[in-house]
Amino acid sequence: MKAEGFTSFLISPDNTVVEAMQRIDSNARGILFAADENCKLMGVLTDGDIRRWLIRTGELHAAVEQVMNHSPKVINPKEIAASKEYMEKLVITALPVVDEAGVIVDIIFRESKDGIFLKPKQGLEQVSVVIMAGGKGTRLYPFTKILPKPLIPIGDIPIMERIINKFCEFDIKDFYVTVNYRKNMIKSYFSENSESYHIHYVEEEKPLGTAGSLGLIQTKFDRPFLITNCDVLIHADYSDIYRYHKESGNELTIVTALKNIVVPYGVIHSKENGGVETIEEKPKLSYFVNTGMYILNPEIQKEIPKDTFFHMTDLADKLLKENRKVGMYPISEDSFLDMGEFEEMRRMEEKLNMKSE
């Protein structure tokens, strides 16, 4: 790789975690190398490093230097021929080539036959997923006057089918779909398109919210299960999310995504007596937002009130007030695709088209 080709994989140790997440989104390889202005290697930072940091501290504006691995694996130019074998032995996907002065002169990526090497996915074949698909999707009128929201196509595939296909990549075959609005259209579509998985339909006679309909499911789950809205697609390692939930001891885990909001004005920071302290031009605010995907322990299911409108956020509030363990699993901004509004729907279609190219 030529020097100009690997600049998207370099970051200054002084940059922030937020900036690192955006850079990783743009290079789509899940890794960055921290280097000074002369490209001298100082550390390595992966999306996993960032996630562990955020789970531990929640600090988005820490410097990369605080998060990175200060002892990255490297090779010199004479060892390039053995780089693939070296990466396989160490189970790493990228390896910087450095000269005698420690300057990065190349980056070698471990590839599969079909492109970027992917870590093997842990199967979740015993895990069930609940998809909340009973809403009217009023924000997507007039489309939802004709089709229920789960069947609105993104490209040439309905959004709920895309969601199910993503879960199937992790060997999940068991789905519970809560339905109400235009439920027969949903059933009809998936009766012809569900050969490799099984759907149990949970029918709401009235809207019960994103958690209330869980009380209608007769199955008593014997392990944590996943819940997702029918209009979001999460590009992440679901097996890692599930592993984190179990190891953390959470009763409820919320998958969260970074959201950057730019204030389109100069912001005035004031001081006493009407004085102006500083003017900050178009500042960027960074938050973690609820994606609408959750993992819930099975015993919590019985604590959801019966025949009552109750959202997952109501359940989270209830657990928090009782000082019970609610955690989050953070993902990057580009890993969260939301179809809830027209602008977001167009953004989702553009991103999915880019991923398929």
Side-chain angles (χ1 to χ4, degrees), residues 174-188:
D174 194 40
F175 296 89
Y176 291 78
V177 178
T178 66
V179 292
N180 184 318
Y181 180 69
R182 297 191 183 277
K183 61 186 178 184
N184 290 332
M185 292 181 70
I186 298 171
K187 290 181 177 182
S188 176

Side-chain angles (χ1 to χ4, degrees), residues 21-33:
M21 292 179 77
Q22 293 173 317
R23 188 72 61 84
I24 282 177
D25 268 346
S26 67
N27 72 36
R29 293 275 191 162
I31 195 167
L32 292 171
F33 296 97

